[in-house]
Amino acid sequence: MTLNPQHRTPRHFHLLCLLALLGLSAPAGAVSAELASSPEIRPDGNGGGEYSLREQFPHLTEKQREEIWGEIRRNIRKLEREGELPSASLAYTQLAWPLRAANGLTDPGFHGVGNFVDQHASYPGYVLDWNCGARSYDTSSGYNHQGTDIFLWPFPWLKMDNAQVQVVAAAPGTIVSRSDGNYDRNCSFNSGNWNAVYIRHADGSIAWYGHLKNGSVTTKTVGQTVMQGEYLGAVGSSGNSTAPHLHLEVYDSSGKLNDPYQGACNTKNGGTWWISQPPYYDSAINHLGTGYAAPSFPACPNQESPNESTAFRFGQTIYFTAYYRDQLSTQTGQYRIYRPDGSLHTWWNHNSPSSYASSYWYWNFTHFAPTGPSGTWRFEVTFNGKTSTRYFTLSP
């Protein structure tokens, strides 16, 4: 889907609005002076749209679930007999966010939420999430989505192949089961086994971390303990999966499925499990890119091509791209490009035509800055109250 950013009202009106949104004011003549030094430079093309990563099938077959629960219970009994697993206490488990960026990944974000727990017991087509919305799914076979899907974005396969996003323990506990060695580049329902770690907390509750990358699972074994935030594995696409993501399931001490989110339509448990519960729409920019071509997203499971660079020559075509999570149609992205001396080169605003869990938009400038100036330039986007920045250089 493409939009035309060139159809807009006079630039001085938008600049005044931008200053007001940022809580700034302009002295008399400041706007016209900036416009005088910043000629009309408009994008020559644009593109992008939604990138769908939502799944619509069971993560595990009923047989697989029975086998997993059987192994977990056997391991718990064995650990209790050997005195290596304390009895469940009255402690209340609270969860930290279960993903973190690996060293070297400096993007402002790297994930999105595709599906929550389906609260409605009927099927198919009776979907209800904790916030009374429909960000979940069920199937005609009787599966109601039983966890929270946290996907990688952007470039999920690139991130997976380079183990750029790690799964960490959301709460301290004891490993009561683990699996590794299963194929991790799946794109469909295939009844294959996933790579996973299962952690029992002090209150007897258990968290399941599934779809981990093959060979990445922690070397700790059943009976060993982990601290909150400790590495468990890298995000992958093992088992029944269409793209790299973490599937998180949480069960209370009785083995009853819970939903970690608190909301008006959560009938499975009374309160939030999160130390700090994320908002229903966690709208943010995950990545800004400058490139020599538009990004390429080949068919699953092939690695994406960002086609990015931070060094360009005078007059070279440059693509400026923003990657969003939970982008709502009511939210405006404010784009700006600054010269090395801090003066405004050009700017534009953009609203998505619809609301998307993951999306990207690019604008390309043919013969960008034919005469420079040389130095370090700045590409900025302000969205949902936060400004993200990408630096790039121009040289003769």
Side-chain angles (χ1 to χ4, degrees):
M1 182 178 296
T2 60
L3 299 177
N4 183 1
Q6 299 184 21
H7 180 67
R8 48 187 186 179
T9 52
R11 295 182 69 206
H12 68 275
F13 173 78
H14 281 300
L15 187 54
L16 288 171
C17 292
L18 176 58
L19 290 170
L21 287 169
L22 296 176
L24 303 175
S25 59
V31 173
S32 54
E34 183 170 33
L35 291 177
S37 63
S38 178
E40 284 282 348
I41 303 172
R42 301 187 179 190
D44 299 296
N46 57 84
E50 180 184 22
Y51 186 85
S52 179
L53 286 160
R54 298 186 67 179
E55 299 188 316
Q56 299 293 328
F57 49 75
H59 292 263
L60 296 165
T61 65
E62 286 303 313
K63 181 181 179 182
Q64 287 171 326
R65 286 189 179 278
E66 291 173 4
E67 291 173 348
I68 290 170
W69 272 119
E71 182 174 356
I72 288 174
R73 290 169 180 141
R74 286 192 298 273
N75 289 340
I76 289 176
R77 289 194 295 269
K78 180 176 182 293
L79 293 172
E80 288 176 336
R81 286 195 306 269
E82 296 172 352
E84 296 183 14
L85 186 67
S87 300
S89 68
L90 297 177
Y92 177 64
T93 296
Q94 288 188 293
L95 306 177
W97 195 246
L99 296 184
R100 73 179 178 202
N103 291 336
L105 182 61
T106 59
D107 287 346
F110 48 80
H111 75 276
V113 175
N115 297 292
F116 297 108
V117 173
D118 182 14
Q119 299 282 338
H120 205 300
S122 300
Y123 62 88
Y126 295 90
V127 176
L128 186 69
D129 63 38
W130 61 272
N131 198 49
C132 306
R135 296 179 68 183
S136 188
Y137 66 89
D138 57 19
T139 68
S140 58
S141 63
Y143 174 75
N144 302 95
H145 189 243
Q146 295 184 216
T148 303
D149 288 338
I150 309 172
F151 59 79
L152 303 188
W153 176 248
F155 317 124
W157 293 104
L158 179 64
K159 283 182 167 60
M160 174 190 142
D161 290 344
N162 292 284
Q164 291 181 319
V165 181
Q166 300 174 347
V167 178
V168 297
T174 303
I175 298 175
V176 291
S177 187
R178 66 186 295 280
S179 60
D180 199 359
N182 297 304
Y183 184 68
D184 60 4
R185 300 188 73 81
N186 292 311
C187 299
S188 64
F189 180 74
N190 55 23
S191 300
N193 294 318
W194 65 4
N195 305 311
V197 179
Y198 309 84
I199 306 294
R200 183 182 187 264
H201 311 127
D203 64 355
S205 62
I206 300 176
W208 295 21
Y209 303 83
H211 298 308
L212 304 184
K213 182 180 180 181
N214 185 17
S216 75
V217 176
T218 174
T219 56
K220 285 192 170 182
T221 58
V222 171
Q224 291 187 283
T225 59
V226 295
M227 300 300 295
Q228 187 175 71
E230 186 171 333
Y231 174 88
L232 298 180
V235 176
S237 193
S238 56
N240 297 317
S241 177
T242 58
H245 72 289
L246 169 67
H247 178 82
L248 176 69
E249 293 187 13
V250 180
Y251 295 88
D252 65 18
S253 58
S254 69
K256 176 179 174 289
L257 177 68
N258 276 210
D259 187 336
Y261 291 85
Q262 180 184 28
C265 288
N266 182 356
T267 61
K268 296 185 178 298
N269 45 283
T272 182
W273 285 62
W274 298 111
I275 295 173
S276 178
Q277 178 168 307
Y280 185 65
Y281 289 115
D282 189 19
S283 304
I285 287 178
N286 277 7
H287 177 71
L288 291 184
T290 52
Y292 49 85
S296 174
F297 298 95
C300 176
N302 298 300
Q303 193 179 104
E304 307 85 4
S305 298
N307 296 325
E308 292 184 352
S309 177
T310 56
F312 301 92
R313 300 295 187 184
F314 290 1
Q316 187 175 349
T317 297
I318 303 180
Y319 288 74
F320 295 87
T321 311
Y323 301 83
Y324 294 85
R325 69 170 184 261
D326 284 346
Q327 184 185 25
L328 307 181
S329 60
T330 55
Q331 298 167 326
T332 300
Q334 300 153 349
Y335 295 68
R336 301 175 298 279
I337 301 175
Y338 291 96
R339 303 183 185 94
D341 64 1
S343 63
L344 184 66
H345 180 72
T346 191
W347 62 277
W348 65 97
N349 292 338
H350 172 250
N351 287 79
S352 174
S354 297
S355 297
Y356 300 125
S358 51
S359 56
Y360 72 103
W361 307 96
Y362 65 81
W363 285 264
N364 58 288
F365 293 78
T366 303
H367 306 304
F368 182 84
T371 59
S374 62
T376 300
W377 291 56
R378 192 167 85 247
F379 171 41
E380 285 187 353
V381 181
T382 298
F383 176 74
N384 199 28
K386 294 184 179 180
T387 297
S388 301
T389 303
R390 168 88 168 191
Y391 294 96
F392 64 100
T393 61
L394 278 182
S395 58

